[in-house]
Amino acid sequence: MAKEIIVGIDFSNASLSALRLGVDIAKRTNSDILMLWVQTAEKDPVEAENTLKELSSSFVSALGENKISYQIAQGSKVHKTINKVVHERNPYMLVVGTNGNSGFDERFAGANAFKTLSDCPVPVLLLRENFNFNKPLENIILPIDSTPDTRQKVPWTLEFARMFPNTCIRVLGLQSYSGKTIRGEVEGYVDSVETWLKQKGLKYTVEMRDSDNSTLTTLDYAKEVGADLIVIMTEQEKTLSNLFFLGPYAQQMINLSPYPVLTIAPKEINGAGR
């Protein structure tokens, strides 16, 4: 039985980029595509459904034996409606496009974006409309911090490494400036991840960085190595800078990252990589 990938559609260029990438991942994972539009007053529902039908027709041949379909959902809150459908269908992942320099458009902005991620039981892949489809996925950033759940994103990182051949996993150990115990925990977690990657025979590198803000340090490193994807947890260690300067880690990353971001809820492994 084929898996299912849900792609959030609002007919923006960003959501169309999300659809295109979703179709590519679907081909690599033997998955079906469900385009999900949450009905809004800004878009005529008849026009929207006609566009969804056109999109289905344009991608059906690319999916081969897999299917592409659409669903029009109704709800007063976009993020709640999306999560309701996700809980009902339990897809392989959710793919969403983001707009502008501040991340999600107005309907997803700020706390709503974070609620979408934190309430979603499956991995969420977010990308901007200017995603470069001509560049192969070569560098996956895997930040490792001192939280007990930090390694839960490793199986999904391996999943993407298997999807895209010749990928290098860039393990980034994020150490706090203070606290020998915390630094030791990060080093231990990084060592265990390195052992796992060696056993799987995957290409990887390891870098340790001191950091008082995980997001900014991760993005600086991502720029240095030419990142193609950053994999994070929806809950990460909370430094004073994270809490009071830019907000929760996942929300910071969504708002600031020019690279696609795959977010994993700590309670959700979904069997990937096993």
Side-chain angles (χ1 to χ4, degrees):
M1 182 177 179
K3 298 186 283 276
E4 182 176 70
I5 295 173
I6 294 180
V7 180
I9 296 289
D10 64 4
F11 308 105
S12 65
N13 289 334
S15 71
L16 297 180
S17 292
L19 177 58
R20 184 176 171 187
L21 182 57
V23 168
D24 183 38
I25 294 173
K27 290 189 293 185
R28 297 171 187 268
T29 58
N30 187 33
S31 300
D32 295 333
I33 290 287
L34 175 70
M35 296 180 289
L36 176 62
W37 176 57
V38 180
Q39 187 171 332
T40 61
E42 292 83 5
K43 186 77 171 178
D44 177 74
V46 175
E47 180 185 351
E49 184 161 16
N50 287 336
T51 303
L52 289 168
K53 289 178 179 177
E54 291 173 2
L55 289 171
S56 297
S57 298
S58 64
F59 283 104
V60 67
S61 60
L63 285 167
E65 296 182 357
N66 294 105
K67 302 173 184 177
I68 181 168
S69 59
Y70 64 86
Q71 179 176 342
I72 298 174
Q74 295 183 339
S76 59
K77 299 288 186 180
V78 173
H79 73 272
K80 288 185 177 180
T81 307
I82 290 174
N83 280 323
K84 181 176 182 294
V85 174
V86 169
H87 276 85
E88 291 171 349
R89 301 187 70 96
N90 190 32
Y92 178 62
M93 70 170 60
L94 171 67
V95 185
V96 180
T98 66
N99 296 286
N101 294 327
S102 60
F104 281 80
D105 64 18
E106 187 176 351
R107 282 164 294 179
F108 289 97
N112 284 337
F114 188 64
K115 288 176 183 176
T116 301
L117 301 179
S118 60
D119 293 341
C120 191
V122 302
V124 182
L125 177 61
L126 306 105
L127 70 152
R128 297 191 185 280
E129 63 179 289
N130 59 355
F131 178 76
N132 183 5
F133 286 94
N134 295 319
K135 184 182 185 303
L137 194 152
E138 298 173 314
N139 292 295
I140 302 176
I141 309 301
L142 177 60
I144 299 294
D145 59 33
S146 62
T147 54
D149 296 325
T150 189
R151 291 171 293 177
Q152 284 193 22
K153 56 182 172 279
V154 175
W156 272 99
T157 304
L158 268 61
E159 188 86 344
F160 267 77
R162 293 190 185 105
M163 286 183 214
F164 298 90
N166 303 316
T167 297
C168 181
I169 298 173
R170 305 282 187 173
V171 181
L172 176 63
L174 298 168
Q175 298 175 308
S176 172
Y177 280 108
S178 60
K180 290 184 179 180
T181 302
I182 292 177
R183 295 174 72 88
E185 287 176 350
V186 174
E187 290 171 355
Y189 290 157
V190 168
D191 287 345
S192 66
V193 170
E194 185 174 6
T195 298
W196 197 358
L197 296 177
K198 281 181 180 178
Q199 292 174 347
K200 299 295 183 181
L202 295 171
K203 182 180 177 182
Y204 72 93
T205 64
V206 174
E207 179 81 12
M208 304 296 293
R209 295 281 173 98
D210 288 332
S211 174
D212 60 1
N213 184 285
S214 300
T215 302
L216 300 183
T217 304
T218 300
L219 290 177
D220 285 344
Y221 177 69
K223 184 177 181 180
E224 291 175 19
V225 301
D228 301 298
L229 177 68
I230 301 175
V231 185
I232 68 170
M233 307 298 295
T234 54
E235 295 178 13
Q236 202 92 0
E237 67 180 355
K238 299 175 177 64
T239 64
L240 288 176
S241 178
N242 281 359
L243 285 173
F244 299 113
F245 176 52
L246 289 172
Y249 176 85
Q251 187 174 345
Q252 288 182 47
M253 189 63 73
I254 296 163
N255 289 339
L256 298 178
S257 176
Y259 315 103
V261 177
L262 179 68
T263 68
I264 313 295
K267 60 185 177 181
E268 179 59 37
I269 295 294
N270 206 34
R274 290 181 178 176

